[in-house]
Amino acid sequence: MANDTQILEPVKEKEPLFGKAEKKLLTDPLNDNNPITVQVLGVCSALAVTTLVYPSVVMAIAVTFVTAFSNLFTSLLRNTIPKSVRMIVQLVIIATLVTIVEQILKAYNFPIYKQLSVFIGLIITNCIVMGRLEAFAMANKPWRSFLDGIGNGLGYGAILIIIAFIRELLGKGSLFAGSPIELKIIGAADTYLINTKANPWFGWYMNNNLMVLSVAAMFILGIIIWIQRARNPKLVDIS
Amino acid sequence: MHSTSYIIRFVLIMTTLAALILASMNTFLAEKHTQNEKIYNKRAILAAVGQHLDGGKSPEDLTDQEVETIFSSNIKSYVLDMKGNIVEGRDAESVDMAKERKKPEPERLLPLYVFTNGQGASYYILSIRGNGLWDEIWGAVSLEEDLRTVAGASFDHKGETPGLGAEIKDNPGFPSQFIGKTIYNEAGEYTSVVVRKGGAVDKTHEVDGISGATVTSDGVTEMLQRGLRYYEPYLNTLKTKS
């Protein structure tokens, strides 16, 4: 009996369902270890899909789903996966999940499916997903791996949405275009909140066409990284 | 270390499971997928008569149900061959323009939609397809009952550059320029509509090009020039009838 409790107790202490370590798994990728701005992974899709906020939100949800569940399944299988084919196995898991996402989008949100087109399929090659499997899920228990996946998906999504917000506002004068809660902020028509044709103060205003191009995302991403590094002492390069 | 037979068994079971999940999912959702695809194509066709829909609605605001209703009650569809005859027994929606483009010219089939709105005005919607800068571009152009005045147009593309070539679809100002242009001149000669770099000179047959997207603009010109002409034999039989 005494032996039993001795074995059980440390296990209980080590694995609370939602303790400090678990919380850190979720919050770390949002700032200190952000997959885009710190690890600089997944930049390709961050440049490509961020012209509008709504598709970016969908993309963020899709990637979070894939990172979370591929982490979970890989972690469940981690002791049975033969080392020599582990990358192939990981890719099968990722590809299956991405195809599920694609199929669901195609069935339930066709316009967004058309808009994101090839970038849904390209989640398979998103380095964040495979990076987390190799670096985390292969060595950690399922629940923690799942949380790590969600954290990294959210960290990726947060940057995506920030970039898309700036690009859509300055490039198209709207926010959440294509979604049910579309906001038309500034433009040359009555339907916009600020009508540049009628408003005496904003007659000079024009949408910035550079913001529609992927180059703009590159600049914005650079500025975000700069601000983050300037404010976060952990990221300052001491050398 | 795992044995080779273990590795093979592991991979086989794993991939079979993945294949089963995906296959059953696809079978389950296939009907919804084709349905969505159909609605999407129908919406693109309606976009060519967007200004003439009943109740002043724009095609994007219509629900899927409304799109279906318009197609079943206001639209008649035909399939034409290159000589201008109506091909019986073919559904216009089943004509895949991408596949037709690969056939030799005389064997191609053309879908034709005739939209009649609540006021009794009819519009002939012609489908066209060509090449942009990176990949294919396509569109629908509607003609008024005089068979020479453009009533509307809509364009789509596979991979044009956002902000440049993709403006043919994303910027509603581009297709709306085509409204009121004529594809025949006063003498009755075929002129098509030209997308002019640097701005339209001849206001009856030309529209403004997109700056920075000359290749896509020229692609649209070529597509219109060639694609609308395919319908000429049929349009001529209509003209002689009336």
Side-chain angles (χ1 to χ4, degrees), chain B residues 214-226:
Chain B
T214 309
V215 179
T216 312
S217 300
D218 289 350
V220 174
T221 303
E222 189 277 337
M223 164 170 91
L224 288 163
Q225 170 81 30
R226 186 173 42 78

Side-chain angles (χ1 to χ4, degrees), chain B residues 130-157:
Chain B
N131 284 327
L133 172 60
W134 303 113
D135 213 318
E136 291 196 309
I137 52 175
W138 57 90
V141 174
S142 65
L143 296 180
E144 282 177 19
E145 267 164 299
D146 64 0
L147 299 177
R148 57 192 293 267
T149 314
V150 176
S154 78
F155 300 101
D156 202 346
H157 60 91

Side-chain angles (χ1 to χ4, degrees), chain B residues 73-111:
Chain B
S73 56
N74 295 40
I75 285 190
K76 282 199 187 109
S77 63
Y78 307 95
V79 177
L80 310 173
D81 65 15
M82 294 295 283
K83 292 192 189 74
N85 305 311
I86 291 173
V87 180
E88 300 293 340
R90 266 303 289 271
D91 184 12
E93 281 167 44
S94 73
V95 178
D96 183 348
M97 291 291 284
K99 281 184 192 151
E100 296 301 320
R101 254 194 102 203
K102 296 200 177 80
K103 290 186 192 170
E105 251 182 38
E107 290 169 26
R108 289 184 196 170
L109 295 175
L110 307 162

Side-chain angles (χ1 to χ4, degrees), chain B residues 3-16:
Chain B
S3 69
T4 312
S5 75
Y6 175 84
I7 295 175
I8 293 175
R9 256 182 299 143
F10 186 92
V11 172
L12 271 180
I13 294 172
M14 164 105 206
T15 45
T16 316

Side-chain angles (χ1 to χ4, degrees), chain B residues 86 234-242:
Chain B
I86 291 173
Y234 180 75
L235 297 181
N236 286 339
T237 60
L238 279 182
K239 276 180 196 162
T240 49
K241 255 187 229 166
S242 55

